[in-house]
Amino acid sequence: MFRIVFVLDLYNMNVVHAQGGNRKKYQPVHLASRICNTSEPIKLIEEVKPKEIYIADLNILQREGYHNTNFATIRQISSRVSTMLDPGISSLKEAMEASPLADTIIIGTETASLQTIKEVVAALPGKVNVSIDKKYGKVLTSDPLMPPEPADIVHQLNALDIRNIIILDMDRVGTSSGVDSQFLSNIVSISHHHVLLGGGVKDIADIEKLESIGIKGALVATALHNGSIPLHMAQQ
């Protein structure tokens, strides 16, 4: 069954609307939503009733405020619904700190080196999703040893005990600009793990397209908030 994972971008304990990867301009999500009247996370979940949630901790990703600003909120969310968490992990210590907060944690190329990814997966087998963060067509990373092409990273991840691979297209986040079928089909063909997509999914036609090429799920916010994808597809 294709997974529609409801995205919550948390900033200062509130949910904001991600658009195009420019985090400085994100606004409270309820201002542009047709499905919720609040940006307070717990109230939003009670309104929307999602089956599965992806949380991005934007305070950590932007290095703003205290490291644990959103942790209590994340605990509350994960006690109510199946949750995967991206807390901007850059070290094994941070991964171990974040692990109890959610069902699975995400470690991404934006914040972690390839070596750190391997260390975290070894310490937490089966509880890690690896996010290949993509911007301007290349892997978003500060690690000089990280391959610039997503496919090259997938080959290295094939040997690791991870839950899912996430292709996070930062240029398409919040844009409803559609999906790159040819690129994604190639990733699916070489990956030994299930592949999820984040960024650009605009409607049911995109969901059907992704399912047909073997993508197992999509991280979706904008298309649910604007009604392009029916809310029931993401609900319990």
Side-chain angles (χ1 to χ4, degrees), residues 107-218:
I107 183 165
T109 61
E110 179 183 4
T111 55
S113 67
L114 191 58
Q115 180 59 34
T116 297
I117 290 173
K118 292 177 180 179
E119 290 174 0
V120 170
V121 172
L124 298 167
K127 193 174 178 177
V128 177
N129 302 295
V130 175
S131 179
I132 300 176
D133 305 321
K134 181 169 165 276
K135 196 166 181 66
Y136 306 127
K138 299 295 182 181
V139 174
L140 181 61
T141 182
S142 58
D143 176 12
L145 299 180
M146 187 82 71
E149 299 297 333
D152 293 334
I153 299 175
V154 171
H155 282 298
Q156 296 200 39
L157 296 177
N158 279 340
L160 305 183
D161 185 5
I162 63 177
R163 186 74 68 90
N164 304 287
I165 288 175
I166 298 170
I167 300 294
L168 186 60
D169 194 330
M170 298 293 292
D171 295 318
R172 295 174 187 251
V173 166
T175 65
S176 297
S177 57
V179 299
D180 186 343
S181 298
Q182 184 174 354
F183 164 76
L184 293 169
S185 181
N186 180 57
I187 294 295
V188 169
S189 71
I190 62 177
S191 178
H192 294 178
H193 302 99
H194 286 176
V195 180
L196 312 179
L197 172 67
V201 179
K202 69 178 185 296
D203 53 24
I204 294 177
D206 274 353
I207 296 296
E208 293 172 348
K209 189 183 301 180
L210 293 173
E211 193 168 14
S212 72
I213 62 177
I215 296 289
K216 297 300 183 182

Side-chain angles (χ1 to χ4, degrees), residues 1-194:
M1 181 134 182
F2 193 87
R3 297 159 61 189
I4 305 290
V5 184
F6 188 69
V7 174
L8 293 184
D9 289 292
L10 286 187
Y11 181 65
N12 289 337
M13 297 175 288
N14 282 288
V15 183
V16 296
H17 181 208
Q19 288 183 295
N22 187 353
R23 296 178 180 133
K24 297 291 185 182
K25 295 185 177 180
Y26 292 177
Q27 298 294 314
V29 72
H30 75 276
L31 297 179
S33 178
R34 297 181 183 177
I35 62 171
C36 65
N37 297 307
T38 178
S39 295
E40 197 281 311
I42 301 304
K43 291 180 180 177
L44 191 154
I45 288 171
E46 290 171 350
E47 287 184 13
V48 175
K49 298 179 175 61
K51 183 177 182 180
E52 186 177 3
I53 283 180
Y54 166 104
I55 295 175
D57 189 328
L58 298 188
N59 285 85
I60 296 177
L61 289 166
Q62 296 179 151
R63 296 178 174 84
E64 290 186 16
Y66 293 105
H67 185 80
N68 63 351
T69 294
N70 296 311
F71 281 11
T73 302
I74 292 166
R75 285 191 193 94
Q76 287 182 288
I77 294 169
S78 63
S79 70
R80 288 166 167 79
V81 60
S82 176
T83 301
M84 60 175 79
L85 169 65
D86 181 356
I89 292 167
S90 60
S91 68
L92 178 57
K93 179 182 177 182
E94 290 174 356
M96 301 307 289
E97 178 186 36
S99 181
L101 297 175
D103 298 279
T104 57
I105 58 171
I106 297 163
I107 183 165
T109 61
E110 179 183 4
T111 55
S113 67
L114 191 58
Q115 180 59 34
T116 297
I117 290 173
K118 292 177 180 179
E119 290 174 0
V120 170
V121 172
L124 298 167
K127 193 174 178 177
V128 177
N129 302 295
V130 175
S131 179
I132 300 176
D133 305 321
K134 181 169 165 276
K135 196 166 181 66
Y136 306 127
K138 299 295 182 181
V139 174
L140 181 61
T141 182
S142 58
D143 176 12
L145 299 180
M146 187 82 71
E149 299 297 333
D152 293 334
I153 299 175
V154 171
H155 282 298
Q156 296 200 39
L157 296 177
N158 279 340
L160 305 183
D161 185 5
I162 63 177
R163 186 74 68 90
N164 304 287
I165 288 175
I166 298 170
I167 300 294
L168 186 60
D169 194 330
M170 298 293 292
D171 295 318
R172 295 174 187 251
V173 166
T175 65
S176 297
S177 57
V179 299
D180 186 343
S181 298
Q182 184 174 354
F183 164 76
L184 293 169
S185 181
N186 180 57
I187 294 295
V188 169
S189 71
I190 62 177
S191 178
H192 294 178
H193 302 99
H194 286 176

